[in-house]
Amino acid sequence: MTTPSLTRPAQGRVNVIFIGPPGSGKGTQAVRIAVRYRIPHISTGDILRAAVKAGSELGRQVAATLASGGLVGDDLMTDLVRARLAQSDTAGGFLLDGFPRTIAQAQALDDILGGAPLIVVLISVPDDAIVRRLGNRRICESCTITQSVSEASDGQNESCPYCGGRLVRRQDDEPGVVRRRLATYASFAEPLIAYYRSRPTFGAIDGLQSPNKVTAALVAHIDSHRTVAARD
Ligand SMILES: [Zn+2]
């Protein structure tokens, strides 16, 4: 077991954003990093749901936008993120997931941070590997646990090792659907990567490694940049 320790290392705010395709393991890594640095894992989905539930003025705008089938625009999304980042649990930093998604949002985030360091991590996995990885994923019809099946068997005759239920592939994990999801990802991620790539705090991590190695690489990247920030 080589799960990294939960001990909080040296001082310094940890403001992190993750960029990575569906199937890159970004969600798993986000949870680990948030726990390790004791920072909130803030996803835009959670922000939108919380705003609607709270019934604030911004929440009413979100509800109206979503009800009309529209996308929440840059200005509204930015206002929501600004309000979320003003909450006291972000005193030690934050991990933002799903924001920014546009250059306008990235510029707004720089503005919100007012020069505070932002660590940007790209978890990079080639498209073919994602299609293969998600194609091997099955969900149990009975207990809903998600698991991988071996490529050789193609999962045809496998049953759930936990409850014996039937393993099925989610519609979202079908190769054609995955290719479309990857194209959507590329259309917003490529401009963002270009926006951040020249910064010293930008790091690209090989997401083909084992999850524990990806975590170790993330921690090494974050620690090297927060140390620099703490000295300033
Ligand atoms: Zn099962």
Side-chain angles (χ1 to χ4, degrees):
M1 197 66 186
T2 53
T3 301
S5 92
L6 301 182
T7 315
R8 189 172 192 158
Q11 270 305 320
R13 272 179 66 94
V14 183
N15 302 331
V16 190
I17 59 173
F18 274 9
I19 303 171
S24 63
K26 185 165 66 93
T28 303
Q29 298 297 335
V31 171
R32 291 182 178 188
I33 293 302
V35 168
R36 180 181 173 94
Y37 294 100
R38 296 182 202 163
I39 52 176
H41 172 203
I42 301 171
S43 83
T44 46
D46 289 344
I47 288 182
L48 293 173
R49 278 186 290 276
V52 170
K53 202 175 164 193
S56 62
E57 174 52 33
L58 288 176
R60 279 193 292 275
Q61 290 179 44
V62 171
T65 306
L66 296 179
S68 71
L71 286 174
V72 176
D74 286 338
D75 288 346
L76 179 51
M77 200 65 238
T78 297
D79 285 347
L80 288 163
V81 169
R82 183 184 287 110
R84 180 64 187 86
L85 295 184
Q87 289 177 20
S88 59
D89 65 340
T90 66
F94 56 79
L95 193 162
L96 261 180
D97 185 354
F99 185 95
R101 260 183 83 112
T102 64
I103 299 299
Q105 290 179 3
Q107 288 166 338
L109 181 59
D110 283 340
D111 193 52
I112 291 169
L113 291 176
L118 177 66
I119 299 168
V120 183
V121 188
L122 168 66
I123 301 181
S124 157
V125 183
D127 283 6
D128 288 343
I130 299 274
V131 171
R132 211 163 36 242
R133 195 184 267 187
L134 294 185
N136 289 336
R137 197 161 72 165
R138 297 290 184 278
I139 183 164
C140 171
E141 280 187 326
S142 302
C143 71
T144 72
I145 285 178
T146 299
Q147 50 212 298
S148 285
V149 293
S150 63
E151 259 166 82
S153 78
D154 200 30
Q156 287 304 316
N157 300 308
E158 294 192 29
S159 52
C160 176
Y162 303 102
C163 75
R166 200 163 73 101
L167 298 181
V168 294
R169 183 146 73 185
R170 296 193 321 154
Q171 174 66 24
D172 262 8
D173 292 341
E174 296 292 339
V177 179
V178 172
R179 296 269 180 206
R180 284 199 293 281
R181 291 166 68 200
L182 288 169
T184 302
Y185 163 75
S187 68
F188 75 81
E190 279 166 10
L192 278 180
I193 294 164
Y195 181 82
Y196 286 122
R197 189 179 281 284
S198 63
R199 297 190 184 186
T201 53
F202 177 91
I205 285 165
D206 175 7
L208 279 176
Q209 304 173 93
S210 72
N212 285 344
K213 283 189 173 164
V214 172
T215 306
L218 284 166
V219 166
H221 179 73
I222 291 170
D223 283 350
S224 70
H225 291 289
R226 72 200 297 246
T227 306
V228 171
R231 274 204 303 267
D232 288 344

